[in-house]
Amino acid sequence: MSVKPDWLRVKAPQWERVGNVKEILRDLALNTVCEEASCPNIGECFHNGTATFLIMGPACTRACPYCDIDFEKKPQALDPTEPIRLAEAVRRMGLNHVVITSVNRDDLPDGGANQFRRCIEEVRAASPGTTIEVLIPDLCGNWQALEVILQAEPEVLNHNTETVPRLYRRVRPQGNYERSLELLRRSRQLAPGLYTKSGIMLGLGETDEEIQQVLQDLRAVECDILTLGQYMQPTPKHLPVVNWVTPEQFTAWQQLGESWGFLQIVASPLTRSSYHAEQVRALMERYPRVNSRNPQTV
């Protein structure tokens, strides 16, 4: 399965715009998942002036065999200036919507929840009009840590399911499918005005029936938004691709999921967790919810 089909070809980016974004990131000493995880959309996203910020990294405490983020380095102590630098990058880039994610920090008692909280607060102060999406790890099931993040009131709480339960031991050995569902369920319960989001990779050997079950499980915990994308092997040492999923198949999954009540499904071979994440602003206008930041509607 090493030969990629034609539909996975990525257009060459305009490197002038990409360079501008990289210059800001280097100047402020920030990491992005775009670069650390070898995302195939880096050219498009950087060209469009957006990025998914990777905090508390780049070293991860888990070794998921599908992911290209480094797990061999020792995690460093948290930098108290990181939230301030991140907020400055958001301001300089003029982002309408920002995605903040992190490596797993199982070495920290709160899994990094307070660093997420501080990042949200600093972005709010520097760029009040920017909507904020956090893509968080499972926090080892520490629900008090989850509350810390939710108290800062991001507009979107994203946590990826990644794959079907049968493949967890091979794909996500330190994860737990039921724990991920519980995180999404509790998030909606604790913050009813929140939009919840998840994502799964296809092409690892899952069956159609298993994909359907994951979609049903996510709807059962009231997940609003779903991303579906093709798994691509970052390097030969990572899990191999079992099958290539066609664009037509992705469209079929999108249509099925939306018929089951998802507010939005972004599905294509190149879709990743934060691909076209800015579309959530239109979604919020279409499906407004009351929250404490705006007691009328979002």
Side-chain angles (χ1 to χ4, degrees):
M1 300 300 298
S2 60
V3 179
K4 295 179 183 178
D6 290 342
W7 60 76
L8 284 171
R9 292 179 180 175
V10 182
K11 292 182 179 179
Q14 296 182 21
W15 289 106
E16 181 179 355
R17 185 66 182 97
V18 171
N20 290 340
V21 174
K22 282 195 172 187
E23 185 176 342
I24 293 173
L25 297 173
R26 298 297 174 267
D27 183 45
L28 295 170
L30 293 167
N31 297 308
T32 67
V33 74
C34 320
E35 296 170 290
E36 299 298 332
S38 304
C39 179
N41 302 312
I42 183 171
E44 179 180 351
C45 294
F46 277 18
H47 170 62
N48 291 333
T50 189
T52 298
F53 294 98
L54 182 70
I55 64 173
M56 298 184 282
C60 186
T61 56
R62 297 189 188 181
C64 298
Y66 66 86
C67 182
D68 201 26
I69 290 179
D70 194 340
F71 61 87
E72 295 179 344
K73 296 178 182 177
K74 182 179 179 180
Q76 298 178 349
L78 296 184
D79 185 340
T81 71
E82 181 178 52
I84 299 169
R85 289 183 283 110
L86 188 152
E88 173 61 13
V90 172
R91 187 192 68 80
R92 288 193 200 177
M93 293 169 67
L95 298 182
N96 291 320
H97 182 78
V98 62
V99 182
I100 306 168
T101 190
S102 77
V103 293
N104 284 279
R105 290 299 303 262
D106 297 339
D107 58 312
L108 301 173
D110 69 349
N114 278 287
Q115 192 80 339
F116 268 109
R117 174 187 58 80
R118 287 200 58 225
C119 286
I120 296 168
E121 292 172 348
E122 292 292 344
V123 170
R124 289 263 185 259
S127 184
T130 300
T131 51
I132 300 174
E133 176 177 330
V134 289
L135 171 55
I136 68 171
D138 62 23
L139 305 170
C140 295
N142 183 341
W143 306 131
Q144 290 182 327
L146 176 63
E147 288 188 49
V148 168
I149 297 173
L150 295 176
Q151 286 166 0
E153 299 188 357
E155 277 80 8
V156 181
L157 189 289
N158 188 352
H159 173 69
N160 285 334
T161 317
E162 302 293 10
T163 189
V164 302
R166 177 177 60 85
L167 297 177
Y168 255 60
R169 182 171 293 184
R170 181 165 67 94
V171 175
R172 201 181 185 195
Q174 293 163 284
N176 181 284
Y177 181 74
E178 294 298 333
R179 185 166 64 200
S180 288
L181 291 177
E182 180 65 8
L183 184 152
L184 292 164
R185 186 189 70 80
R186 285 177 180 262
S187 296
R188 282 300 305 274
Q189 186 179 58
L190 293 166
L194 185 74
Y195 296 83
T196 54
K197 178 177 176 180
S198 192
I200 60 175
M201 304 173 290
L202 304 185
L204 286 162
E206 64 287 331
T207 67
D208 287 355
E209 293 75 15
E210 288 174 323
I211 299 170
Q212 289 182 26
Q213 187 60 58
V214 172
L215 267 61
Q216 291 171 349
D217 290 345
L218 288 171
R219 281 306 301 140
V221 296
E222 299 184 79
C223 181
D224 297 307
I225 306 166
L226 179 65
T227 58
L228 295 167
Q230 169 73 53
Y231 168 69
M232 288 188 280
Q233 186 182 32
T235 73
K237 70 180 181 180
H238 290 84
L239 289 174
V241 174
V242 176
N243 60 293
W244 301 112
V245 182
T246 67
E248 292 75 19
Q249 288 173 297
F250 277 107
T251 298
W253 286 121
Q254 177 182 0
Q255 293 172 345
L256 178 64
E258 290 181 348
S259 75
W260 286 351
F262 284 96
L263 300 184
Q264 182 186 70
I265 293 184
V266 182
S268 74
L270 288 173
T271 291
R272 296 297 180 266
S273 300
S274 53
Y275 188 51
H276 291 174
E278 72 283 353
Q279 293 176 357
V280 75
R281 292 176 68 92
L283 181 98
M284 292 163 63
E285 292 177 2
R286 199 158 59 244
Y287 304 102
R289 289 180 179 161
V290 174
N291 70 11
S292 61
R293 289 189 64 237
N294 185 337
Q296 300 302 314
T297 55
V298 176

